Amino acid sequence: MRGVMRLVTARAGLVPSRPWRFDKSPAGGLPRVRIGHVPLDLGRLDEVLRAVEGLVTGGQGGRILLPDVEQVVRAERDEVLRSALATAELSLAGGPSMIRAAGRLGVPALALEPRAGAQWLPPLATLARERAWRVVVVAERPKLSEWAAGALRDRYGLLAVGVAAPDVPDNGRGPWVDTLIDRIELTRPDLVWVSMDTPKQELFCQHAAQRLHGAVLLGVGSAMESLLVGRGGARARGALRSPWRWLLQRLAFQRVLAHARAT
């Protein structure tokens, strides 16, 4: 039953009208469903933050991804991206479309956390400040990493530094990438916020997680800019630049949902 709920867990305070069955996320044991091939972890804000803290303090590192419509559509035909998404320790809603899609697949409303994309990031930044975690911001857009790290220092009091990554290949690996990861490792980060295009971002995080032992990589994409410049800024600009691409993605996304509901 691809695209629907499977396996285990019940969560305190969740009393659905029928016995829903969920997968478990690798981090925190959050209930996990699938939108097409893409996992989506469900949890209240406090549960998600506890799961993130467990990854950081446990020392094993890992990856947190924020998939949205683009990732769901691409994963249908891109096996490498599909694998990178499926193996992330946490997979949180990258946009409200993912929350609505889960509801359309029948997930009980009480299981859905109405937070998505950049809405997850301010509480996480606050937690990072409280725990004195070292944060590195890696971005491919010119000057975004330095600007974002500065904003995180000024606005949230984080111990943050920026690392520019303008020439990362589409597969997220290579000699230049290994040199970049070595630079990141020198800062001994607890959290690495990565802002790149899909699928480069997800593949870079997958590769870097194998070399940055103990660090947690967070693939934030355009949510980084939205967090810093205001709600929806970067995503809205991207939609205006390529309206036909956005429309085609939405249509493909609807086909994925229709297939998931029928199986």
Side-chain angles (χ1 to χ4, degrees), residues 153-223:
R153 289 193 300 268
D154 296 340
R155 191 172 301 179
Y156 296 98
L158 282 175
L159 302 171
V161 298
V163 176
D167 299 314
V168 174
D170 288 341
N171 65 2
R173 58 185 64 215
W176 152 242
V177 175
D178 292 341
T179 300
L180 173 66
I181 294 172
D182 290 341
R183 287 179 56 202
I184 296 170
E185 191 170 23
L186 291 175
T187 68
R188 299 175 58 205
D190 298 299
L191 276 175
V192 181
W193 294 29
V194 181
S195 177
M196 299 178 184
D197 291 333
T198 294
K200 182 187 305 185
Q201 172 178 272
E202 291 76 18
L203 301 182
F204 171 83
C205 287
Q206 185 180 42
H207 179 58
Q210 299 170 357
R211 296 172 59 90
L212 292 172
H213 304 294
V216 175
L217 288 102
L218 174 62
V220 298
S222 62

Side-chain angles (χ1 to χ4, degrees), residues 141 221-226 229-239 241:
R141 292 183 177 86
S222 62
M224 171 65 75
E225 295 180 60
S226 300
V229 305
R231 183 177 177 182
R235 193 171 299 278
R237 288 196 302 273
R241 280 197 300 265

Side-chain angles (χ1 to χ4, degrees), residues 49-69:
L49 293 180
R50 280 199 301 270
V52 175
E53 186 170 14
L55 283 176
V56 175
T57 60
Q60 74 270 29
R63 289 173 292 135
I64 305 169
L65 300 180
L66 302 176
D68 203 353
V69 171

Side-chain angles (χ1 to χ4, degrees), residues 4-232:
V4 253
M5 293 100 283
R6 325 172 213 184
L7 277 170
V8 282
T9 88
R11 207 177 45 171
L14 176 61
V15 186
S17 58
R18 54 185 288 191
W20 291 100
R21 298 169 70 82
F22 297 92
D23 287 319
K24 282 184 178 178
S25 67
L30 298 176
R32 169 171 283 193
V33 299
R34 293 188 182 275
I35 311 296
H37 288 288
V38 177
L40 178 65
D41 297 325
L42 307 172
R44 299 186 300 267
L45 176 61
D46 60 325
E47 296 172 318
V48 170
L49 293 180
R50 280 199 301 270
V52 175
E53 186 170 14
L55 283 176
V56 175
T57 60
Q60 74 270 29
R63 289 173 292 135
I64 305 169
L65 300 180
L66 302 176
D68 203 353
V69 171
E70 180 177 6
Q71 286 80 3
V72 171
V73 172
R74 282 177 173 262
E76 288 295 302
R77 61 182 187 275
D78 188 333
E79 185 176 355
V80 177
L81 174 62
R82 188 158 65 237
S83 174
L85 291 165
T87 54
E89 280 72 18
L90 277 176
S91 181
L92 306 175
S97 295
M98 296 292 281
I99 299 292
R100 292 193 295 267
R104 288 178 60 183
L105 289 179
V107 177
L110 288 176
L112 297 176
E113 169 63 45
R115 292 175 183 263
Q119 293 175 316
W120 291 106
L121 301 184
L124 180 56
T126 299
L127 176 65
R129 180 193 64 216
E130 292 171 351
R131 300 294 186 265
W133 291 342
R134 293 179 295 272
V135 175
V136 173
V137 179
V138 181
E140 64 178 338
R141 292 183 177 86
K143 300 185 179 179
L144 175 60
S145 56
E146 294 82 357
W147 174 60
L152 290 173
R153 289 193 300 268
D154 296 340
R155 191 172 301 179
Y156 296 98
L158 282 175
L159 302 171
V161 298
V163 176
D167 299 314
V168 174
D170 288 341
N171 65 2
R173 58 185 64 215
W176 152 242
V177 175
D178 292 341
T179 300
L180 173 66
I181 294 172
D182 290 341
R183 287 179 56 202
I184 296 170
E185 191 170 23
L186 291 175
T187 68
R188 299 175 58 205
D190 298 299
L191 276 175
V192 181
W193 294 29
V194 181
S195 177
M196 299 178 184
D197 291 333
T198 294
K200 182 187 305 185
Q201 172 178 272
E202 291 76 18
L203 301 182
F204 171 83
C205 287
Q206 185 180 42
H207 179 58
Q210 299 170 357
R211 296 172 59 90
L212 292 172
H213 304 294
V216 175
L217 288 102
L218 174 62
V220 298
S222 62
M224 171 65 75
E225 295 180 60
S226 300
L227 167 67
L228 298 173
V229 305
R231 183 177 177 182

